[in-house]
Amino acid sequence: MKIALLGYGRMGKSIEAIAVDRSHSIVLKVTDETSNYDFSDADVAIDFSIPSVATTNIKKALDAGIPVISGTTGWLEHYNDIIDYCKAKDGTFLYASNFSLGVNLFFELNKKLSELMSGFSEYTTEMEEIHHTQKLDAPSGTAITLAEQIIKSTNYKTWTLNDAKPNEIQIDAKRIEGVPGTHEVTYNSKIDSISIKHTAHSRQGFAMGAVIAAEWIKDKKGIFSMKDVLNIG
């Protein structure tokens, strides 16, 4: 399979190493300074760029009829626009806030726990996410996904990075050098606490998941998620 990398930072380099190890080839490397490029040699594009150029990169790939896997976060206010654009182009798009197999299992655990906790108003919910200092957005896309799952099952209305009101989920976003990604959801009451936590030990899990998603999506049409790739949920 021939892969176009949209974004060639640490994550792009990790994806490249895994893709080559799995007998794929990298035919295009786009950085945020790249202005002119085409997808004529590519079978699929993997986007781990930066928020300011993500939508442009994704649309260019869709214009070329190339399936796109995107893991860039911080641009999701334009997500519905991309979905509409993909449908109009009869294209193929998969977005995930996190491609790690463990995190996607964690999503399912979080969803189930939030459903169980929805009937117990004596518990309040808070979250903590920790990432490396190079991460540009806060909270992380993974934290937002976790919060949205909880909101869907409970009486919470939104999340906040500030002091939470009763109907808001408090997210504490920390940036610490060298941390690939840690997410913890905690339910607190006066008598006890319940927590679930996922800790990434390296970027390899994210990169491997993205390559597996690219392998899966090749020659498919439509809008997909990691649930489709991993056949979970």
Side-chain angles (χ1 to χ4, degrees):
M1 184 171 63
K2 298 177 180 178
I3 300 173
L5 290 178
L6 308 180
Y8 195 59
R10 291 184 180 181
M11 193 63 187
K13 291 179 174 66
S14 294
I15 290 170
E16 178 183 31
I18 288 174
V20 170
D21 189 59
R22 293 171 71 89
S23 301
H24 304 306
S25 59
I26 306 300
V27 296
L28 178 65
K29 300 174 186 177
V30 176
T31 69
D32 49 314
E33 286 89 23
T34 308
S35 55
N36 296 313
Y37 54 93
D38 68 77
F39 297 91
S40 56
D41 293 329
D43 297 313
V44 63
I46 300 179
D47 167 55
F48 275 89
S49 54
I50 58 175
S52 60
V53 299
T55 55
T56 299
N57 286 338
I58 293 166
K59 286 182 176 181
K60 282 186 177 181
L62 293 172
D63 286 342
I66 302 299
V68 187
I69 306 295
S70 178
T72 304
T73 57
W75 63 274
L76 292 184
E77 67 271 22
H78 304 296
Y79 176 79
N80 289 332
D81 175 49
I82 289 294
I83 295 303
D84 291 341
Y85 196 86
C86 181
K87 290 177 179 177
K89 293 288 183 177
D90 190 29
T92 307
F93 180 67
L94 186 155
Y95 169 76
S97 58
N98 196 307
F99 283 90
S100 161
L101 172 59
V103 164
N104 281 277
L105 294 171
F106 189 66
F107 284 152
E108 295 305 306
L109 181 61
N110 179 65
K111 179 181 175 183
K112 181 62 177 179
L113 181 58
S114 66
E115 292 170 352
L116 290 172
M117 299 300 294
S118 63
F120 298 92
S121 59
E122 61 268 35
Y123 287 88
T124 59
T125 311
E126 62 185 40
M127 295 172 52
E128 180 184 74
E129 62 99 339
I130 309 172
H131 282 86
H132 51 87
T133 54
Q134 289 78 34
K135 187 167 180 61
L136 299 178
D137 55 312
S140 66
T142 300
I144 292 172
T145 298
L146 291 166
E148 288 176 345
Q149 288 181 320
I150 296 167
I151 290 165
K152 189 174 292 186
S153 298
T154 64
N155 292 324
Y156 285 102
K157 302 299 182 184
T158 188
W159 54 265
T160 183
L161 291 171
N162 303 311
D163 293 333
K165 298 175 183 177
N167 64 346
E168 296 176 334
I169 300 171
Q170 177 78 48
I171 301 178
D172 186 12
K174 299 178 179 178
R175 297 294 173 260
I176 299 173
E177 186 66 35
V179 178
T182 299
H183 296 85
E184 184 170 16
V185 180
T186 301
Y187 293 85
N188 289 312
S189 76
K190 291 181 179 180
I191 59 173
D192 60 12
S193 297
I194 302 170
S195 295
I196 56 173
K197 182 178 182 179
H198 177 272
T199 302
H201 300 306
S202 73
R203 299 172 189 269
Q204 295 300 101
F206 312 137
M208 178 63 78
V211 174
I212 289 172
E215 293 169 346
W216 180 89
I217 209 171
K218 184 177 178 290
D219 299 325
K220 290 182 172 64
K221 290 285 186 181
I223 310 298
F224 301 102
S225 72
M226 282 301 286
K227 284 188 177 184
D228 300 304
V229 177
L230 300 174
N231 194 27
I232 59 176

